[in-house]
Amino acid sequence: MSKILLGPATETIYQQLTGEGDLEKAINDIQKIYGLDIVPSMDSIYPLLDLSGCSRLEIHWACLHALNTAAVEKIKTPEFLLADFERVFSDSFKYIRCSHLQPIPMALLKKFSEHIDQDVLDQLKNDQEVFQNCPLNVKQQIWKQDETFFQVQVLSMLNEYHHDEELQKLSMNLRPDSYQEVLTERRNHPQMTRMMEMINGDPKLYLMFLETVQIVFRSTPYPSLCSIRVDILMNYHDRDISEVYEEDKCHDLIWSLDTCVRQQNMDDVIIEKIKQCFDHVKNGTQLYSEFAMILMDPVISNFLTQCIVRWLRISVDDDAPGNLEQLINYNAKLLNLAEHAPAAANLNQKIPKLDKDLRGRFWNALCTIIVEENNPKAYVAPSESEVISSMLLRSETARKAMIHYCIDRAYEGDVATLQRCLPFILESLPLQDDANITHVFTYQSFVGTFVSVLAKKWLLNCVKDVMWRQVVMENFLLQIVRWDPLAHKQVVLLLSEYFLKSSYLTTLNEKSEREGK
C-alpha cells in the first residue's frame, strides 16, 4: 500500500484513471493500492446511508471531520509525546497543502513548535496560503528569524489600516463629540486587534513592529502611522503588560499626552510631566524624532490646537490668567515638533525652534480678529492680513490654529468672523502636486469637519440666509471643490442632505412664494 494519497500521488492517480479503459476496474485498483478497500462491506452500507437524505459527499466530509477532530484532541493530550510527534509528523506534513487535511499537521506544529526543523519552517514561509493558517507561535518563530518577511506582513496591515474608511473619518474629525469615544473606537478597531494579535505580547516582535512603522513613516509620513504608534503602546499599557510597554522609551510621553486628551485638561502640572519626558533627550536623535512623530497623531495635535484657540480667546479678556502666554507657546512648541516630524525621521536633522513670527505677530493678528467676533462691519487690516497669509503658507502650526478657530466660529454660527477668515484658507490651499502630506491632510480634515458642522447646525441658513449663502456656499465651498476630489464629495453630500429633508424644501418654497408676492 502506498503511503502517499495526495500531493505527489495526484499525477499517478490521474494517469491510472485516464490510462485504464475500464473505469470501474481503475477505481478498484486505486482503492487497493491506497488501502481504501479495508471495509469489504462498504458497498452494502451505502444504500442504508443513502436513506438518511445526505449525499455521499456530505457523509465522507463528516467522517473526515470526525477523524480530524479525534486526532487533534489526541495530539493535545499529555500522553502524546515528542516520540509520537517524530513518528507521525513527516507523514502528516505531506498533506499540509490540502486544506481539509491541515488540522492534524497544524496541531502537531503548534504543540511541538520548538522541535520543527528549519527546512519545514522554510517550506511554511514560502507558501503564503499555508503560512496564513499556521499557528501563531509558529508564525512568530518564522518572523523572528526573518525580519524582512515580518516587515512585509506588517506593511500589508499598515496599508489596510490607512485605507480603512472608518478610521479615516475618526482621524479627520477635528471636533469629535468625545475624544474618549474616538480613542476607544480606534484601539478596539479590528485592524488594531489584528496587529495586537500578531505581536501577542512578545517584546521582541513589539520592537520589530515599531521599527517597521518607523521605516514606513520615513518614506510616507501619514498621520495614520502616528495613531498606530500611540494606540498600540496604550493598548499594552491599559492591559498592564509591562514586559512590553517598559521596552518602549516613548511610554511616559504617550501616557502623559493620552491623559491630557482623555481628561481634556492641559495645565501647568501636566505640562511639567511632559517636559520631564524630554529630559536628557537631545534634538536630532532618533528618540527625539519618535517623540515628534507621536505628537503628530491627529487626536493629540487636534487637542493641543484646540487648547491654543481656547486660550487665545480667553487672553483678550481683561481678567485673563497671567500664564496663558506660557501655555500657548508651550503647546505651539509641541505642535512645531509634530510639524517637523517627517523631516526629522527621514533626514535625522534637528527640529528648528518655534517661529518667532508665529508666537508673536501671528497670535496678535489672530487676537485682533477674536476681539471683533460677531461684528459684520469688522475687517482685517492689511498689515495683519499679510502676517496671517504669510504664516499660513509656511507654518503647519499656524494652519492648524486657523482651521480650528474657523471650526469654532462655524459651530457658534459666527458667520461675520467666517467672512474674514475663510478667504485665508482659500489662499493657502496646497498645490495640486504638493508633496506636503500633512498640509493636504489638515485641509481635507477641515473641509470634512466644517461641512459636518454645517449639516448639523446651519444647513438651512446656508441656502436660505443671504449672508450665509454668500460667505459659506458661494465664496468658499463652491470655490474649494476645485481643489480636491474629497472636498468636492463633501460639498455634494452636504447639498444632497439638504434636498433629502422635506422640511427644508418646504421652508425654501414658502420663502420663494413670499418673495414672489
Side-chain angles (χ1 to χ4, degrees):
M1 181 183 76
S2 172
K3 293 185 178 181
I4 304 174
L5 178 59
L6 296 177
T10 305
E11 183 63 28
T12 303
I13 293 173
Y14 175 78
Q15 292 175 357
Q16 288 175 312
L17 287 173
T18 55
E20 177 66 54
D22 187 343
L23 184 60
E24 183 177 357
K25 182 178 182 301
I27 293 174
N28 290 333
D29 290 342
I30 291 171
Q31 288 178 333
K32 291 178 180 179
I33 294 171
Y34 294 102
L36 301 178
D37 59 344
I38 56 176
V39 185
S41 58
M42 196 65 189
D43 289 339
S44 302
I45 298 175
Y46 275 133
L48 179 62
L49 293 174
D50 291 340
L51 295 176
S52 68
C54 298
S55 68
R56 294 187 182 182
L57 177 62
E58 291 172 328
I59 292 170
H60 291 158
W61 282 133
C63 291
L64 179 59
H65 175 72
L67 289 170
N68 274 327
T69 302
V72 169
E73 290 303 317
K74 176 65 176 178
I75 292 169
K76 291 179 179 179
T77 62
E79 291 78 18
F80 194 91
L81 303 175
L82 178 60
D84 300 306
F85 164 77
E86 294 172 343
R87 178 171 51 85
V88 301
F89 178 71
S90 59
D91 288 335
S92 65
F93 186 71
K94 298 167 185 175
Y95 303 106
I96 201 162
R97 290 176 178 79
C98 178
S99 60
H100 298 291
L101 298 177
Q102 270 186 5
I104 294 174
M106 289 299 183
L108 292 168
L109 287 169
K110 182 177 182 179
K111 183 171 181 177
F112 298 95
S113 59
E114 296 180 358
H115 303 280
I116 303 173
D117 293 337
Q118 186 61 45
D119 178 62
V120 172
L121 293 175
D122 291 339
Q123 291 184 56
L124 295 173
K125 182 178 69 175
N126 294 330
D127 191 320
Q128 190 62 27
E129 187 175 346
V130 172
F131 178 82
Q132 292 303 325
N133 294 329
C134 283
L136 181 59
N137 59 336
V138 176
K139 289 181 178 179
Q140 290 182 322
Q141 190 173 342
I142 293 172
W143 287 330
K144 289 178 182 179
Q145 289 182 353
D146 190 339
E147 189 166 357
T148 301
F149 181 71
F150 173 77
Q151 290 174 348
V152 171
Q153 303 275 310
V154 173
L155 185 60
S156 174
M157 290 186 174
L158 299 181
N159 188 55
E160 290 180 21
Y161 182 101
H162 175 72
H163 290 97
D164 188 283
E165 291 187 4
E166 293 180 12
L167 292 167
Q168 282 186 340
K169 289 179 180 178
L170 289 175
S171 66
M172 300 180 85
N173 185 358
L174 302 179
R175 193 185 177 96
D177 295 331
S178 168
Y179 276 104
Q180 177 69 45
E181 290 179 3
V182 171
L183 292 175
T184 300
E185 189 170 348
R186 263 183 19 178
R187 291 168 189 176
N188 293 322
H189 194 276
Q191 298 288 2
M192 177 55 61
T193 300
R194 285 180 59 209
M195 296 177 193
M196 294 290 294
E197 290 173 349
M198 182 183 200
I199 299 170
N200 196 36
D202 188 293
K204 181 177 180 180
L205 286 177
Y206 176 77
L207 295 177
M208 289 170 60
F209 181 89
L210 295 186
E211 176 63 22
T212 304
V213 173
Q214 191 74 14
I215 290 172
V216 177
F217 182 77
R218 289 171 194 152
S219 58
T220 53
Y222 288 107
S224 59
L225 297 169
C226 308
S227 300
I228 292 171
R229 179 68 179 86
V230 169
D231 289 346
I232 203 155
L233 180 279
M234 284 309 303
N235 272 343
Y236 280 111
H237 174 90
D238 292 340
R239 297 175 191 184
D240 197 25
I241 306 178
S242 58
E243 59 268 26
V244 172
Y245 69 72
E246 287 180 354
E247 294 289 325
D248 194 335
K249 295 180 180 179
C250 298
H251 169 260
D252 290 347
L253 178 63
I254 294 175
W255 184 25
S256 299
L257 292 168
D258 184 77
T259 302
C260 294
V261 174
R262 287 176 183 269
Q263 297 179 355
Q264 289 292 280
N265 181 45
M266 189 77 167
D267 53 28
D268 291 325
V269 176
I270 294 178
I271 286 178
E272 190 58 36
K273 290 183 179 179
I274 294 174
K275 286 181 178 179
Q276 291 174 5
C277 298
F278 285 85
D279 289 345
H280 312 298
V281 180
K282 294 183 178 181
N283 190 352
T285 62
Q286 181 178 342
L287 182 57
Y288 200 84
S289 70
E290 287 187 49
F291 281 7
M293 177 184 176
I294 288 161
L295 289 161
M296 192 177 151
D297 171 38
V299 166
I300 293 174
S301 62
N302 287 337
F303 169 71
L304 294 174
T305 310
Q306 281 187 345
C307 290
I308 289 177
V309 171
R310 183 173 71 250
W311 292 332
L312 285 171
R313 297 188 71 241
I314 295 174
S315 70
V316 301
D317 296 337
D318 294 334
D319 57 347
N323 66 338
L324 281 183
E325 184 177 358
Q326 179 184 353
L327 294 173
I328 290 169
N329 286 330
Y330 188 74
N331 271 28
K333 178 182 178 181
L334 296 178
L335 289 173
N336 181 63
L337 297 186
E339 177 178 347
H340 294 92
N346 188 35
L347 304 174
N348 290 324
Q349 64 183 22
K350 285 188 175 182
I351 294 177
K353 293 182 178 180
L354 184 65
D355 194 323
K356 292 181 179 180
D357 286 340
L358 177 79
R359 66 187 185 189
R361 300 172 65 197
F362 182 76
W363 294 148
N364 291 335
L366 202 53
C367 284
T368 61
I369 295 177
I370 292 173
V371 296
E372 296 288 352
E373 287 177 354
N374 293 297
N375 182 0
K377 296 182 179 180
Y379 65 95
V380 183
S383 59
E384 293 157 353
S385 178
E386 182 180 352
V387 170
I388 294 173
S389 297
S390 173
M391 290 304 303
L392 291 182
L393 288 174
R394 74 175 195 252
S395 170
E396 179 64 22
T397 304
R399 288 191 287 267
K400 285 185 180 296
M402 177 58 78
I403 65 170
H404 275 273
Y405 180 64
C406 288
I407 293 296
D408 178 80
R409 292 299 82 211
Y411 191 83
E412 297 298 331
D414 184 1
V415 68
T417 303
L418 289 176
Q419 185 178 28
R420 286 176 282 154
C421 292
L422 291 178
F424 290 119
I425 303 296
L426 289 176
E427 291 175 5
S428 56
L429 288 173
L431 300 176
Q432 291 293 335
D433 57 348
D434 198 325
N436 189 332
I437 291 174
T438 311
H439 189 174
V440 175
F441 178 83
T442 296
Y443 274 34
Q444 286 178 336
S445 301
F446 168 69
V447 175
T449 308
F450 187 66
V451 166
S452 177
V453 171
L454 296 176
K456 290 178 181 177
K457 301 195 66 174
W458 311 109
L459 185 54
L460 184 58
N461 297 64
C462 288
V463 179
K464 180 182 176 182
D465 184 90
V466 174
M467 188 171 183
W468 275 89
R469 187 168 65 242
Q470 290 179 345
V471 171
V472 175
M473 295 301 301
E474 296 175 5
N475 296 339
F476 182 69
L477 290 181
L478 294 183
Q479 304 303 317
I480 208 169
V481 295
R482 305 171 184 173
W483 163 63
D484 179 70
L486 186 58
H488 186 279
K489 177 182 177 181
Q490 296 287 355
V491 176
V492 170
L493 291 175
L494 177 68
L495 294 173
S496 300
E497 188 165 346
Y498 180 88
F499 288 105
L500 288 173
K501 292 189 177 182
S502 57
S503 59
Y504 286 173
L505 294 177
T506 302
T507 303
L508 185 61
N509 289 334
E510 292 174 352
K511 180 177 182 295
S512 299
E513 290 174 0
R514 287 196 302 270
E515 292 176 350
K517 294 178 180 180

